[in-house]
Amino acid sequence: LYYMTQYVDLVHHPKEEAIFALLAARDPGAKKNVAELTKQHHMIEKSGISFYEKLDSIINEACGIIKLAEIEAPGRLYSSSLRTHMDKEEKGLFVLAGQLLNDNDWKGIKSEIQTKTDPIFGQAIEARFHRVCEQLSKEVSGKQAVSQGDLSG
């Protein structure tokens, strides 16, 4: 969640919004989807910060005992909203971006957006994410081994 609120919301979403602005300028039919997805970025950011703060208060014992539903419901809402949002981007505006934007557009987007190295998928993984990356690597390796075993059996 830290990654989402400190990298995705602050660096990745503004980059997408620069892409969306170009799309809306090139294809007026995309304006409605651009407006909707941009609004969702802001709602996801607020939801993520709120959820992060709630989790942080639990971890740091800043709040008393809370009911599971008080943390589970916002977590489920955040993750399902994010998944729906990403699906809409990938199946809609990102496809359109591939069709309408050229190399100069992409260079312009890259130059105008604040750059910050991705702490997980960049060249150097931030220390706080090492365990997560190791765990993901183990899970991927395990699934590949299972898949390869299925093929040989």
Side-chain angles (χ1 to χ4, degrees):
L1 199 52
Y2 176 87
Y3 173 77
M4 297 301 293
T5 60
Q6 299 302 309
Y7 179 78
V8 174
D9 290 339
L10 301 178
V11 178
H12 180 75
H13 285 164
K15 182 178 182 179
E16 289 180 344
E17 289 171 14
I19 294 167
F20 296 168
L22 276 176
L23 292 177
R26 299 258 170 89
D27 182 355
K31 287 182 181 181
K32 182 179 176 184
N33 282 341
V34 164
E36 181 182 344
L37 289 170
T38 300
K39 182 178 177 182
Q40 288 176 6
H41 280 168
H42 299 290
M43 291 186 326
I44 288 167
E45 179 180 5
K46 285 181 182 179
S47 173
I49 290 169
S50 175
F51 185 47
Y52 179 80
E53 289 172 349
K54 188 171 279 264
L55 287 173
D56 190 56
S57 70
I58 293 168
I59 291 166
N60 293 309
E61 299 177 10
C63 65
I65 297 173
I66 66 167
K67 294 179 181 179
L68 177 61
E70 290 179 41
I71 194 70
E72 183 180 27
R76 288 185 185 278
L77 178 63
Y78 178 76
S79 62
S80 67
S81 297
L82 193 57
R83 172 96 36 223
T84 300
H85 171 80
M86 290 168 49
D87 285 346
K88 188 163 192 160
E89 285 177 330
E90 290 171 7
K91 293 175 182 169
L93 291 183
F94 290 166
V95 172
L96 190 60
Q99 296 167 350
L100 298 181
L101 302 183
N102 60 42
D103 289 342
N104 288 331
D105 294 327
W106 293 110
K107 287 176 188 173
I109 290 165
K110 187 176 182 178
S111 71
E112 75 179 58
I113 298 302
Q114 170 192 355
T115 56
K116 178 180 176 182
T117 302
D118 189 311
I120 295 178
F121 302 103
Q123 290 184 340
I125 299 170
E126 280 185 20
R128 72 172 48 228
F129 297 111
H130 280 250
R131 290 180 65 202
V132 172
C133 290
E134 288 170 7
Q135 183 62 36
L136 289 172
S137 180
K138 286 178 187 175
E139 287 186 28
V140 168
S141 295
K143 287 181 181 178
Q144 288 174 344
V146 169
S147 295
Q148 291 171 355
D150 290 344
L151 293 174
S152 62

